[in-house]
């Protein structure tokens, strides 16, 4: 039977709260059936398989969020067969706090299951003042990894990414840092994120020469953002690397949240964030409504169809979801119940998007 998880959380910890946490969280036992229904895809030409749905901790795992909600989402994800948890040094807010919170829950809930998990983190965005606190220098990349390992309380991560290309640092230097991280045993695999097709080909060639193959690329990809179809996917096929798509639901646009317009409590309504209200045009909303009608015909929610579409054809290894509550994770994983599209459905989607 699934154990009940408290709905409340706390943002600060005193001695009594830490004692209470130790007494209550060690009872978690994952479902025996957690691998029965999840689909696992081989990542490029490597020996690593990733769940078709992975959980990203970009939002809702920071120091401003409730720890018990984080714990509930991580537990439910693992029970559903999600073994891959994706982080970065700057996830929060404040930066670094997502790794700290994940490390706290990893220690109390998943300590005995580390070898069943794929944990990834990244370095590339601003973390500390001065000339060595961001981008892709060897000094920054390796210092950032050491800090990430300390925050999470782990000896290694499974995948370590260069989070973004650095226009001023030689690509060879950044790739040498990834290679060094693998050779030191602080990472098992090397990845890159948001690199163009040309940059990806160059990075893969450098890593191959160094003896640390490129495992994976993490690009943004959704029905509303199809840039990787312009050459990146072909490069990944050529070099034998996998891909994991972030923002497959376009920051929530490809869900039922915006069918009737912009809700007051939505991301687009907030003054800060990556999704701006000016970007949610009536033309875009009309496309979303048409896609929602097609999803209903398929017996899926719009979010489920959007995830299935990203995974179509096997060219994307995993879809990286975010969540603010357990029910969203459950809905998204249920997308795997219907991953097939007819040629007519795909043509209709293309017609709507155009």
């Amino acid at each position: 039977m699934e154990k009940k998880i408290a709905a409340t959380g706390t943002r600060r910890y005193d001695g009594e709260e830490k004692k209470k946490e130790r007494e209550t969280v060690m009872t978690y036992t994952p479902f025996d059936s957690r691998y029965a229904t999840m689909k696992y895809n081989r990542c490029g030409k490597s020996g690593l398989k990733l769940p078709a749905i992975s959980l990203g901790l970009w939002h809702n795992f920071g120091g401003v969020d409730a720890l018990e909600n984080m714990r509930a989402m991580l537990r439910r994800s693992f029970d559903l067969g999600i073994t891959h948890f994706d982080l970065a040094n700057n996830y929060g807010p404040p930066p670094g706090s997502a790794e700290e919170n994940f490390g706290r829950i990893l220690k109390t809930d998943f300590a005995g299951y580390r070898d069943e998990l794929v944990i990834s983190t990244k370095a590339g965005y601003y973390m500390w003042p001065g000339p060595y606190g961001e981008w892709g220098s060897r000094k920054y990349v390796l210092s950032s990894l050491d800090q990430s390992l300390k925050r999470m309380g782990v000896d290694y991560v499974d995948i370590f990414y260069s989070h973004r290309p650095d226009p001023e640092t030689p690509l060879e230097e950044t790739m040498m840092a990834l290679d060094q991280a693998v050779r030191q045993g602080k990472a098992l695999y090397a990845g890159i994120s948001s690199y163009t097709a040309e940059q990806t080909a160059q990075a893969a060639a450098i890593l191959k020469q160094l003896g640390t193959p490129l495992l994976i690329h993490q690009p943004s990809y959704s029905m509303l953002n199809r840039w990787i179809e312009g050459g990146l996917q072909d490069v990944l096929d050529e070099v034998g690397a996998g891909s994991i798509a972030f923002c497959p639901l376009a920051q929530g646009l490809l869900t039922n949240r915006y069918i009737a317009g912009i809700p007051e409590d939505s991301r687009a309504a907030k003054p800060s964030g990556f999704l701006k209200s000016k970007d949610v045009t009536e033309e875009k909303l009309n496309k979303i409504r048409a896609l929602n009608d097609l999803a209903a015909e398929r017996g899926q929610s719009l979010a489920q169809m959007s995830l299935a579409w990203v995974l179509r054809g096997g060219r994307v290894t995993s879809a990286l979801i975010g969540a603010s509550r357990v029910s969203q994770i459950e809905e998204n994983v249920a997308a795997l119940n219907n991953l097939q599209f007819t040629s007519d459905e795909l043509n209709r989607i293309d017609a709507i998007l155009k």
Side-chain angles (χ1 to χ4, degrees):
M1 178 181 293
E2 184 180 2
K3 300 202 170 40
K4 281 192 173 183
I5 302 168
T8 58
T10 182
R11 299 176 188 179
R12 297 180 182 274
Y13 299 89
D14 57 25
E16 186 62 30
E17 287 168 333
K18 287 181 178 180
K19 178 181 178 182
K20 186 176 181 181
E21 181 180 340
R22 287 194 299 269
E23 292 172 348
T24 58
V25 301
M26 295 300 291
T27 57
Y28 170 65
T29 301
F31 288 176
D32 291 336
S33 60
R34 59 189 177 276
Y35 297 116
T37 56
M38 175 57 68
K39 177 179 173 61
Y40 297 91
N41 299 318
R42 188 167 299 280
C43 191
K45 294 181 180 178
S46 76
L48 185 68
K49 291 184 177 181
L50 295 179
I53 303 293
S54 299
L55 182 66
L57 280 65
W58 182 13
H59 300 292
N60 304 308
F61 284 84
V64 300
D65 301 298
L67 188 78
E68 285 308 314
N69 188 50
M70 305 175 208
R71 173 174 286 118
M73 290 192 288
L74 290 170
R75 286 181 172 186
R76 187 60 177 142
S77 295
F78 193 48
D79 284 340
L80 291 171
I82 294 178
T83 53
H84 178 28
F85 299 121
D86 179 75
L87 300 104
N89 57 355
N90 64 321
Y91 288 176
S97 58
E99 289 182 328
E100 291 173 351
N101 287 326
F102 178 76
R104 182 179 290 116
I105 297 170
L106 181 67
K107 181 178 180 180
T108 56
D109 291 56
F110 298 97
Y113 304 96
R114 174 64 182 93
D115 292 336
E116 296 183 42
L117 302 178
V118 174
I119 300 171
S120 62
T121 196
K122 315 176 193 72
Y125 285 93
Y126 179 86
M127 279 300 289
W128 61 86
Y132 320 120
E134 62 179 326
W135 293 108
S137 71
R138 188 182 194 132
K139 179 173 178 60
Y140 164 74
V141 169
L142 294 176
S143 297
S144 177
L145 176 57
D146 285 340
Q147 293 177 22
S148 291
L149 295 177
K150 184 176 181 179
R151 281 191 290 266
M152 290 188 284
V154 296
D155 297 323
Y156 71 96
V157 290
D158 297 274
I159 306 171
F160 183 46
Y161 288 91
S162 168
H163 205 164
R164 59 173 174 172
D166 184 344
E168 297 184 354
T169 297
L171 186 58
E172 290 82 0
E173 179 175 340
T174 304
M175 294 306 105
M176 287 176 67
L178 295 182
D179 172 68
Q180 182 174 336
V182 172
R183 292 185 182 278
Q184 289 178 330
K186 296 178 181 179
L188 301 186
Y189 300 95
I192 57 177
S193 178
S194 300
Y195 280 53
T196 66
E198 182 180 4
Q199 291 168 333
T200 298
Q202 294 171 350
I206 295 168
L207 285 171
K208 182 178 180 180
Q209 186 175 17
L210 292 170
T212 298
L214 175 65
L215 173 81
I216 193 168
H217 188 299
Q218 186 175 133
S220 58
Y221 183 50
S222 72
M223 286 194 285
L224 299 178
N225 180 14
R226 301 175 64 166
W227 72 276
I228 71 171
E229 297 173 11
L232 177 60
Q233 287 185 313
D234 293 332
V235 169
L236 295 176
D237 288 342
E238 291 168 6
V239 303
S243 63
I244 178 168
F246 76 85
C247 290
L249 302 182
Q251 291 283 305
L253 277 177
L254 292 171
T255 70
N256 61 7
R257 288 277 283 161
Y258 295 88
I259 299 299
I262 303 177
E264 292 184 2
D265 62 343
S266 66
R267 286 186 185 179
K270 296 178 180 178
S272 61
F274 293 92
L275 182 62
K276 308 296 185 184
S277 59
K278 64 180 178 62
D279 298 324
V280 187
T281 63
E282 191 61 28
E283 179 185 4
K284 189 172 290 185
L285 290 176
N286 286 333
K287 291 181 179 181
I288 291 169
R289 291 167 186 136
L291 291 170
N292 185 61
D293 291 340
L294 177 55
E297 294 177 25
R298 287 171 47 84
Q300 292 181 310
S301 67
L302 176 55
Q304 290 168 341
M305 185 181 77
S306 300
L307 292 170
W309 183 89
V310 163
L311 294 167
R312 77 197 187 287
R315 301 195 79 181
V316 170
T317 312
S318 182
L320 185 61
I321 65 168
S324 60
R325 56 186 181 274
V326 166
S327 60
Q328 293 174 333
I329 297 169
E330 294 170 337
E331 177 188 353
N332 290 340
V333 170
L336 303 180
N337 295 333
N338 184 10
L339 293 176
Q340 303 303 315
F341 289 87
T342 67
S343 58
D344 177 63
E345 288 173 333
L346 292 175
N347 289 335
R348 288 174 62 186
I349 290 172
D350 286 341
I352 292 169
L353 296 175
K354 289 177 181 177

